[in-house]
């Protein structure tokens, strides 16, 4: 094992530790999503809603843009019902103008749900779900990211998330 980060190739033991950390992060993310869904918000619950005028001359023709658990953007017309729906990942090309209208009032990093998850014999973790459809699990005291979901899929670990980095595996001087 080389001491330089760009020349480091993981040993079999380090590779096994990295895989175990990824599995643990996926398990923690699934537990956090189930915790939110079971305790905070049921399936298809509206997390954020904004009213946008459809026709300036007719106040009854109002449209509502809403973010629904688990990361769905919906366009709803009063007294009519659901007009259009898309996952937040696909909303940028399915409903680009509606997503732009939503982002004017609700930025992507706005936290819509947050909770502290406490389980027996483990440390508490903070769980947050933002307007871009990303679920984050953080250590309650240090705020270190323990797991991050894919956008619009709170039960799936993000492919970009690394549970262990090179610096986590380096020996430390005490």
């Amino acid at each position: 094992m080389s001491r330089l980060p760009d020349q480091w190739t993981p040993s079999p033991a380090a590779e096994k530790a990295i895989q175990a950390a990824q599995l643990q992060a996926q398990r923690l993310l699934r537990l956090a999503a189930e915790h939110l869904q079971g305790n905070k918000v049921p399936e298809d619950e509206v997390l954020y809603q904004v009213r946008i005028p459809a026709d300036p001359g007719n106040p009854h023709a109002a449209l509502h843009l809403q973010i629904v658990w688990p990361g769905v953007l919906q366009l709803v017309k009063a007294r009519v019902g659901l007009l259009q729906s898309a996952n937040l990942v696909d909303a940028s090309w399915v409903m680009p103008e509606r997503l732009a209208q939503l982002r004017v009032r609700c930025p992507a990093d706005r936290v819509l749900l947050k909770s502290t998850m406490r389980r027996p014999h483990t440390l508490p973790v903070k769980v947050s779900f933002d307007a871009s459809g990303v679920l984050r699990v953080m250590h309650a005291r240090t705020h270190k990211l323990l797991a991050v979901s894919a956008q619009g899929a709170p039960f799936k670990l993000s492919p970009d998330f690394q549970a262990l980095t090179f610096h986590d595996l380096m020996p430390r001087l005490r």
Side-chain angles (χ1 to χ4, degrees):
M1 173 157 70
S2 172
R3 295 189 183 270
L4 300 174
D6 57 345
Q7 297 176 354
W8 182 67
T9 56
S11 67
E15 193 68 38
K16 191 173 183 180
I18 290 170
Q19 288 175 356
Q22 285 293 107
L23 285 174
Q24 178 61 26
Q26 175 62 46
R27 191 176 306 122
L28 184 62
L29 184 72
R30 184 181 47 79
L31 286 171
E34 288 172 355
H35 168 76
L36 282 182
Q37 188 167 339
N39 297 331
K40 291 288 184 180
V41 57
E43 189 77 22
D44 297 334
E45 178 76 18
V46 176
L47 302 177
Y48 184 83
Q49 185 176 37
V50 62
R51 183 177 180 194
I52 55 172
D55 182 18
N58 185 2
H60 299 292
L63 297 173
H64 296 278
L65 279 172
Q66 55 191 24
I67 299 174
V68 178
W69 175 263
V72 178
L73 179 64
Q74 293 180 343
L75 178 65
V76 179
K77 187 171 185 177
R79 299 184 187 150
V80 175
L82 183 66
L83 297 178
Q84 195 174 11
S85 178
N87 196 328
L88 281 170
V89 176
D90 305 328
S92 61
W93 60 274
V94 173
M95 304 168 56
E97 65 281 345
R98 301 300 181 191
L99 184 63
Q101 289 175 332
L102 177 72
R103 293 295 174 231
V104 168
R105 295 196 187 156
C106 180
D109 61 347
R110 181 177 180 170
V111 175
L112 300 178
L113 280 175
K114 62 182 175 179
S115 176
T116 302
M117 184 173 72
R118 301 177 199 282
R119 297 177 297 141
H121 310 293
T122 61
L123 294 172
V125 292
K126 291 189 182 248
V127 180
S128 66
F129 184 76
D130 63 19
S132 65
V134 175
L135 180 70
R136 289 180 175 79
V137 182
M138 296 171 282
H139 190 277
R141 188 174 42 85
T142 63
H143 298 286
K144 179 186 177 196
L145 274 177
L146 302 175
V148 177
S149 76
Q151 184 182 12
F155 290 91
K156 182 181 175 194
L157 193 65
S158 172
D160 298 334
F161 179 71
Q162 293 181 347
L164 281 179
T165 63
F166 171 76
H167 298 288
D168 293 333
L169 296 173
M170 285 180 60
R172 290 187 176 86
L173 295 175
R174 293 185 190 239

